[in-house]
Amino acid sequence: MKGVAVLSGKGGVGKSLLSINLANILAENTSVALVDADISNPCILQLLGVDVEHRFESEDRISPIRVKLPKGEVEIFSIDGIVRGRGVYKIGYEYAKILGEVLRNASWTAETFIIDAPAGLGDVHKMTVSAFGDYYA
């Protein structure tokens, strides 16, 4: 598995749009998962115009939302697909724990992950990347 984290110290600079475009381009040649890792302000589903909720296969197993983009299909996880319009506010280790559980408990088939990270350069970023660390080649 390979991964790309899209990071920026400032919000509102287009990280989510860049993540979507990168996922679209890569989907032409590989299977791609797009993870909206900004759990306090998720926007990937909204930007794509997707109004679908995640389906739970069991109590602890979730299905990514599959979206057809112009160059191929992409698996998406966004907390917005669970809490519908309400962000989740967590700090530090709780944040990383949620993201780590998503990766371990989702039914991914993707070879490449695009991580749309929250704005900032502090501990949340370090924990976001470390939560996905086991999934990088």
Side-chain angles (χ1 to χ4, degrees):
M1 252 182 244
K2 302 172 193 160
V4 176
V6 179
L7 308 163
S8 173
K10 182 181 180 320
V13 296
K15 291 182 301 297
S16 297
L17 188 57
L18 176 66
S19 297
I20 291 168
N21 285 325
L22 185 56
N24 181 46
I25 290 167
L26 291 173
E28 188 170 25
N29 296 312
T30 189
S31 56
V32 177
L34 176 55
V35 179
D36 193 348
D38 190 350
I39 63 172
S40 60
N41 190 25
C43 67
I44 293 290
L45 295 179
Q46 183 180 1
L47 287 171
L48 290 170
V50 175
D51 190 23
V52 176
E53 295 183 6
H54 287 285
R55 183 177 54 82
F56 286 87
E57 298 172 9
S58 66
E59 187 174 305
D60 63 349
R61 193 103 176 130
I62 191 168
S63 290
I65 296 169
R66 288 176 171 74
V67 175
K68 180 76 172 136
L69 296 179
K71 296 193 181 271
E73 187 176 77
V74 175
E75 296 177 345
I76 296 176
F77 174 81
S78 175
I79 198 72
D80 197 34
I82 298 172
V83 298
R84 308 305 296 159
R86 299 180 320 264
V88 175
Y89 298 94
K90 298 288 183 184
I91 57 170
Y93 74 93
E94 293 174 329
Y95 192 92
K97 183 179 176 186
I98 289 170
L99 295 174
E101 286 178 10
V102 164
L103 277 180
R104 282 187 299 280
N105 297 327
S107 298
W108 301 108
T109 59
E111 297 171 0
T112 303
F113 282 78
I114 307 297
I115 300 150
D116 181 34
L121 295 174
D123 288 338
V124 169
H125 266 97
K126 292 175 194 170
M127 292 185 177
T128 299
V129 173
S130 69
F132 291 94
D134 293 340
Y135 298 90
Y136 290 118

